[in-house]
Each structure stands twice: as structure tokens, then as C-alpha cells.
């Protein structure tokens, strides 16, 4: 196999690894949103039961942390997607 073809395959494998990273980030964001929603339901249920405000405050802080984490994962996914697209364009020009 000629070196140009080997380099092309190498760059394609990097792209595949980046796509897998994007899928993992997307899944992690979904998981964090699900956990935040579960915490919200738990907070609502406990609020009806007269649980101390300190306990509710801890759960609300955890819910906000998970929502923030999900947002961070989304931002990383977006940036990674743009980077993959720009690298793909550069690679196409490189191997034409």
C-alpha cells in the first residue's frame, strides 16, 4: 500500500474515533438530563412530604449540577463536530 493511502486510512480512523467520542458525549448528556429529571421528580415528591429544606437544597444543587454537566457535554459535542467537519475538509484537499 502506498504511503498516501496509508495516511488516508490513518486520518479516516481518527475521524471514526472522533465520531465515537461524539456519540459518547451525546449519550452522557442524555444520562445527565435523565438523572436531573429524576431528581426533579424526587424533589417534588419530597416537597409534598415536608422534608427539611436543607435536604431539598442539596437535591436541587445536585440537579443543577447535572443540568450544567449535560450542557457542557452538549457544547463539547458541538465543538467536536465542527472540528471534525473542518478536519475532513482539510483531509479531502490533502488527498485529492
Amino acid at each position: 500500500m502506498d504511503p498516501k493511502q496509508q495516511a488516508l486510512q490513518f486520518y479516516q480512523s481518527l475521524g471514526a474515533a472522533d465520531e465515537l467520542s461524539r456519540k459518547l458525549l451525546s449519550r452522557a448528556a442524555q444520562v445527565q438530563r435523565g438523572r436531573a429529571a429524576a431528581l426533579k421528580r424526587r424533589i417534588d415528591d419530597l416537597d409534598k412530604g415536608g422534608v427539611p429544606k436543607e435536604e431539598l437544597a442539596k437535591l436541587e444543587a445536585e440537579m443543577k449540577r447535572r443540568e450544567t454537566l449535560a450542557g457542557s457535554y452538549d457544547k463539547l459535542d458541538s465543538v467536536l463536530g465542527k472540528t471534525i467537519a473542518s478536519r475532513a475538509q482539510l483531509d479531502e484537499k490533502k488527498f485529492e
Side-chain angles (χ1 to χ4, degrees):
M1 179 181 302
D2 71 88
K4 195 171 187 177
Q5 187 65 27
Q6 285 178 326
L8 177 61
Q9 286 182 343
F10 174 73
Y11 283 111
Q12 287 173 341
S13 69
L14 289 178
D18 288 342
E19 283 298 324
L20 178 60
S21 296
R22 285 190 73 198
K23 287 180 183 178
L24 290 173
L25 283 170
S26 177
R27 179 66 183 133
Q30 287 175 339
V31 167
Q32 294 305 321
R33 278 193 202 85
R35 289 180 178 169
L39 282 168
K40 177 66 175 157
R41 286 190 302 273
R42 184 173 176 202
I43 289 168
D44 290 343
D45 289 345
L46 291 175
D47 195 25
K48 294 174 188 173
V51 173
K53 295 293 181 191
E54 298 84 29
E55 182 68 25
L56 289 176
K58 287 180 189 177
L59 291 173
E60 286 173 351
E62 178 69 15
M63 181 185 71
K64 289 192 185 304
R65 187 181 72 78
R66 291 190 182 274
E67 289 172 346
T68 301
L69 190 58
S72 297
Y73 287 155
D74 287 336
K75 288 176 188 173
L76 281 171
D77 182 35
S78 175
V79 168
L80 191 57
K82 291 175 186 175
T83 303
I84 290 169
S86 67
R87 186 171 65 193
Q89 289 175 348
L90 291 173
D91 290 347
E92 283 179 18
K93 293 176 184 175
K94 205 183 287 186
F95 296 106
E96 286 180 344

